[in-house]
Amino acid sequence: MPQPSAPRKTPGRPPRISREEVIATARRIVDAEGVDRLTMRRLATEIGSTPMALYHHVRNKEELLVLLLDDYAARALHRPELPAQPRERIVAAAAAIHEALAACPWIAEVLTADDLMSTSALWFVEQILDGLVESGLTPERAVHGYRTIWYYTAGEIVVRTTAARRRADDDGPTYRERVFADLDPNELPRLAQVADRWAPLTAENTYLDGLRALIDGLLAAH
Amino acid sequence: MPQPSAPRKTPGRPPRISREEVIATARRIVDAEGVDRLTMRRLATEIGSTPMALYHHVRNKEELLVLLLDDYAARALHRPELPAQPRERIVAAAAAIHEALAACPWIAEVLTADDLMSTSALWFVEQILDGLVESGLTPERAVHGYRTIWYYTAGEIVVRTTAARRRADDDGPTYRERVFADLDPNELPRLAQVADRWAPLTAENTYLDGLRALIDGLLAAH
DNA sequence: GCTATTTTTCTTACATGTATAAAAATCTAC
DNA sequence: GTAGATTTTTATACATGTAAGAAAAATAGC
């Protein structure tokens, strides 16, 4: 057992790099050249070490990306003035998280995390929970409500980001276009009706509308 | 230009495998041993070919997984009797999609698709659109409403599936546990209040509650 | 039959994440 | 000092997706 009052020298070979250094260097690469260029080998070279040395500071690449996201969230999420009215506070807090995440283009690779639980995001989660409780929900239902909002928010970002990436990769006609091309208006009239407007309609950013509807529904259920 | 009335012989080396065969073999592997065991080499061996030959029938592995999902959806999604009342029809259609997808454990890898646009899912999309229009929404707002439901549904599945996978991989204490361990009850009282119940609360399946709230909110907004 | 064309298949090669085990660098006990 | 113990770093190796191009197998025109 390590003695907390003992002199601070630990045994073993002293580290030449630190987790902080790894994260900071990774951030530089991602900021400068995009997440695609972030490889463990590249990162090791940049930091003046070897690929496997990194694995003593991060569990694997996925954890590194989560740490990068936390790091990003800590910078991007400052605490704004939120409205006093509970419903509007919930909207504003969720929208702030959404805005920060949506601005982070490499996010879809990570965003499937269980919650966004970086310390800097907790304050926003607190605001949402508080708004829900103030609106009359029990703490338990407030947690469920927050999760619902998170599912919607994460889903919106992941779906949109991935769709954008696929569009960039593909050249030929989308699978979607092919499907819409031979819709039977008798069998699927509503889809046929909007078929030619589907692309622009789904390209619109309706996150806030959906969020408000969702929160309205959550609060109306008492 | 190919003449439709010409004899059916096409030039070029005749294919020894087909896209259907690739998909069917891939499905066998996934069903029997899980999606992790599906590699292009394994699939090629199983099918009696070489890895690169597969790439003439599917664009890449991601497309193969999407095709697998479509194939799965075609089998899993039979058209049930849906309620006549629009709101309940929307709930039932979305819940049917959700249920089919949630039962598919390898889904998170693919589910970030733009929409679930396999032909067999279209009927459900139609039902949702129709329910929304019948409830008074314009076709445009109905499309937005459907997308909102899809974001929520996809987000729920992806987040839950990934969380389950991470729990299975990790051994040590969760990042989440560590975060909750040192919460300051003065700064974040609501979170502190539910901290010890967070894991069971978020493990509960509240998809249907959230879905109903969301649809209520969408319909209330006219 | 011979050549050109077209389509599919096969061979080879590379970048990537990471497992495994050896090596290096430090501390502690004697 | 010398011998473990402990921790970090390095070297090597492997599985994977897939790019690039050669080879094979068919048709079409002559």
Side-chain angles (χ1 to χ4, degrees), chain B:
Chain B
M1 55 180 119
Q3 298 179 31
S5 50
R8 289 291 151 268
K9 277 302 178 63
T10 58
R13 177 172 178 167
R16 295 167 52 149
I17 58 179
S18 66
R19 171 186 275 227
E20 286 67 37
E21 201 181 346
V22 170
I23 296 174
T25 310
R27 197 182 69 226
R28 276 218 328 270
I29 296 176
V30 169
D31 285 350
E33 308 182 35
V35 74
D36 288 350
R37 303 296 272 279
L38 179 68
T39 70
M40 299 305 268
R41 283 172 174 81
R42 166 78 190 278
L43 180 53
T45 308
E46 201 94 344
I47 214 172
S49 185
T50 59
M52 291 313 291
L54 304 173
Y55 286 81
H56 264 260
H57 304 275
V58 298
R59 192 193 296 261
N60 49 37
K61 190 177 180 184
E62 188 183 352
E63 190 190 70
L64 173 61
L65 289 172
V66 172
L67 290 170
L68 267 184
L69 179 60
D70 280 357
D71 181 78
Y72 170 80
R75 277 160 225 281
L77 283 176
H78 351 88
R79 302 184 181 183
E81 281 296 316
L82 292 190
Q85 204 265 316
R87 177 186 311 241
E88 289 309 311
R89 186 144 38 99
I90 303 169
V91 171
I97 294 180
H98 178 261
E99 190 185 356
L101 295 183
C104 198
W106 42 275
I107 209 155
E109 333 238 348
V110 202
L111 199 58
T112 50
D114 198 3
D115 308 85
L116 181 65
M117 274 296 159
S118 61
T119 325
S120 40
L122 287 181
W123 183 79
F124 291 86
V125 179
E126 174 78 17
Q127 301 309 310
I128 293 174
L129 288 176
D130 192 55
L132 291 168
V133 172
E134 259 193 63
S135 305
L137 271 67
T138 65
E140 289 76 18
R141 294 191 68 85
V143 172
H144 290 150
Y146 158 69
R147 292 282 287 190
T148 302
I149 293 173
W150 174 245
Y151 294 149
Y152 169 63
T153 303
E156 201 264 2
I157 290 175
V158 170
V159 168
R160 292 182 83 87
T161 308
T162 313
R165 181 167 57 73
R166 290 228 175 104
R167 262 196 307 281
D169 288 356
D170 285 16
D171 328 292
T174 319
Y175 183 57
R176 198 164 69 181
E177 290 168 39
R178 266 173 286 147
V179 165
F180 274 118
D182 39 78
L183 270 185
D184 180 354
N186 294 316
E187 257 218 289
L188 306 170
R190 298 295 187 197
L191 275 166
Q193 185 186 10
V194 294
D196 51 337
R197 279 170 294 164
W198 191 267
L201 277 176
T202 58
E204 283 177 44
N205 182 355
T206 58
Y207 172 76
L208 270 180
D209 292 338
L211 177 64
R212 284 184 183 280
L214 177 53
I215 293 171
D216 286 353
L218 288 171
L219 298 190
H222 286 259

Side-chain angles (χ1 to χ4, degrees), chain A residues 97-108:
Chain A
I97 294 180
H98 179 262
E99 190 186 356
L101 295 182
C104 198
W106 43 274
I107 209 156

Side-chain angles (χ1 to χ4, degrees), chain A:
Chain A
M1 56 181 120
Q3 297 179 32
S5 50
R8 287 294 149 265
K9 274 301 176 66
T10 58
R13 178 172 176 166
R16 295 167 52 148
I17 58 180
S18 65
R19 172 186 274 227
E20 286 66 38
E21 202 180 346
V22 171
I23 296 174
T25 310
R27 197 181 70 225
R28 275 217 329 268
I29 297 176
V30 168
D31 285 350
E33 308 182 35
V35 74
D36 288 349
R37 304 295 273 279
L38 179 67
T39 71
M40 298 305 269
R41 283 171 174 81
R42 167 75 191 279
L43 180 53
T45 308
E46 201 94 346
I47 215 173
S49 185
T50 59
M52 292 313 292
L54 305 173
Y55 286 82
H56 264 261
H57 304 275
V58 298
R59 190 194 297 261
N60 50 36
K61 191 177 179 184
E62 188 184 352
E63 190 190 71
L64 173 61
L65 288 173
V66 172
L67 290 169
L68 267 183
L69 178 60
D70 280 357
D71 181 79
Y72 170 80
R75 278 159 223 280
L77 283 176
H78 350 88
R79 304 185 179 182
E81 280 294 318
L82 292 190
Q85 204 264 317
R87 177 186 311 244
E88 288 310 310
R89 186 143 38 100
I90 302 169
V91 171
I97 294 180
H98 179 262
E99 190 186 356
L101 295 182
C104 198
W106 43 274
I107 209 156
E109 332 238 349
V110 203
L111 198 58
T112 51
D114 198 5
D115 308 83
L116 181 65
M117 275 295 160
S118 59
T119 323
S120 40
L122 288 182
W123 183 80
F124 290 86
V125 178
E126 173 79 15
Q127 300 310 310
I128 293 175
L129 289 176
D130 191 57
L132 290 169
V133 172
E134 258 195 60
S135 303
L137 272 67
T138 65
E140 288 77 17
R141 295 191 67 84
V143 172
H144 290 150
Y146 158 70
R147 291 283 286 190
T148 302
I149 293 173
W150 174 244
Y151 294 149
Y152 169 63
T153 303
E156 200 263 4
I157 291 175
V158 170
V159 168
R160 292 181 84 87
T161 309
T162 313
R165 181 167 55 75
R166 290 230 174 102
R167 262 196 307 281
D169 288 357
D170 285 17
D171 329 291
T174 320
Y175 183 58
R176 198 164 69 180
E177 288 169 39
R178 268 173 285 145
V179 166
F180 275 119
D182 40 77
L183 270 186
D184 180 354
N186 294 315
E187 258 218 289
L188 305 170
R190 299 294 188 199
L191 276 165
Q193 186 186 10
V194 295
D196 52 338
R197 278 169 294 164
W198 191 268
L201 277 175
T202 57
E204 284 177 43
N205 181 355
T206 58
Y207 172 76
L208 269 181
D209 293 338
L211 177 65
R212 284 184 183 282
L214 177 54
I215 293 171
D216 286 352
L218 288 172
L219 297 191
H222 286 257

